Amino acid sequence: MRTRAAVLRGVSTDRPYSATRPVEVEELELGAPREGEVLVRIAAASLCHSDLSVVNGDRVRPLPMALGHEAVGVVEETGPGVNRVSPGDHVALVFVPSCGFCADCAAGRPALCERAAAANGAGALLHGPSLLTDASGATVHHQLGVSAFSEHAVLAQESVVPIPADVPFTVASMFGCAVLTGAGAVINTAALRPGQSAVVYGLGGVGLSAVLGARAAGAYPVVAVDPVAEKRALALQLGATHAYAPAEAVEAIRELTLGGAELAVEAVGSPKVTAECLTAVARGGKVVSVGLPAPGRMLEVPALAFAGEGKSLIGSYMGDAVPRRDIPRFLDLWRAGLMPVERMHTGTLPLTGINEALEELASGRAIRQVIDTSGLPAA
């Protein structure tokens, strides 16, 4: 079948993207689902900073690539051997399609699946090479096994999680990346306990999801740090108890917590901010890093912070989530009013507005913009 998709053919830092237009909507040929794969009509796809990192070259990926990795859709067709979903199911799309058999999957850490990492790095799908070709017949790569800025996508069945049909598409679109990564970093990676103090640096979709996770876990205080006043104000609406600009954060956190927070989440992708997080936590405190810096950037911190002060620095990929477990339970928290992710929605654009959406994200103004590709009725 044919599908319209947002395709990146060459990295670009030439802004504004709304004028330079590094991403173009093209008509592609999409192969039928193979064994273990499903065809999904995309209903809504959120724009994440990881998408921007592919556009500007911070995340090196094979090009050309059909972008988009955080989305929701409806299953239209299933290939042989698919037993997890059926046509008509509403599904959240997940950017790590865990194989279930490698050492990390067997250890309960599917976000680190070796086979998925290899497939994602190659721009392929878990069960085979790319199914996308352009008008000349050349291969177009998949982004993280999803490529959701498109009318349709074929994915491994391991990349989809069934969700209730009454969850609005805009809400559901944020659960496969932002919520899994941010809330998962707090709840899964850090195992934050009620009454512990937490600080979140960086208030994009992932950082605000970490604020939501800290609130749901019963943390106090929950401190939000960002240079943008509007984002700090939103964090307070979402459950942060205090919010500060970076220049005043460390001193304020130490005073508020009588020495330092028990947990700091770094959601910026900045080595400098990671180092600051280590100064913001108390002796024995944890820093969880979820931001994705450019590969060549290096971290320099006082070595004595670890053995001498008992601090720990922990990496968290996709919030150490088990998507089939965590997406339903996070949706339950949303229903209970504890994760109002709809407040992170800062606009909906058609597929043709992808470059304008990228510019809004790069400017720091937007949190979660939704690309509407579908024409499906709203759930």
Side-chain angles (χ1 to χ4, degrees), residues 146-208:
V146 180
S147 291
F149 298 148
S150 178
E151 295 166 320
H152 287 84
V154 170
L155 307 92
Q157 66 171 333
E158 294 86 353
S159 291
V160 301
V161 175
I163 61 172
D166 64 338
V167 180
F169 291 138
T170 297
V171 170
S173 69
M174 303 182 205
F175 277 79
C177 177
V179 176
L180 278 187
T181 301
V186 171
I187 294 170
N188 297 329
T189 308
L192 188 68
R193 299 191 302 274
Q196 289 190 306
S197 54
V199 55
V200 178
Y201 276 75
L203 302 177
V206 170
L208 287 170

Side-chain angles (χ1 to χ4, degrees), residues 1-3 27-35 37-40 76-80 125 129-134 137-140 142 146 150 152-156:
M1 65 178 300
R2 292 189 177 276
T3 185
E27 188 172 81
L28 303 178
E29 188 72 26
L30 175 63
R34 299 165 295 207
E35 184 166 359
E37 296 177 340
V38 298
L39 172 67
V40 173
E76 287 198 343
E77 183 183 341
T78 60
L125 299 178
S130 172
L131 290 172
L132 293 168
T133 53
D134 63 17
T139 296
V140 175
H142 299 265
V146 180
S150 178
H152 287 84
V154 170
L155 307 92

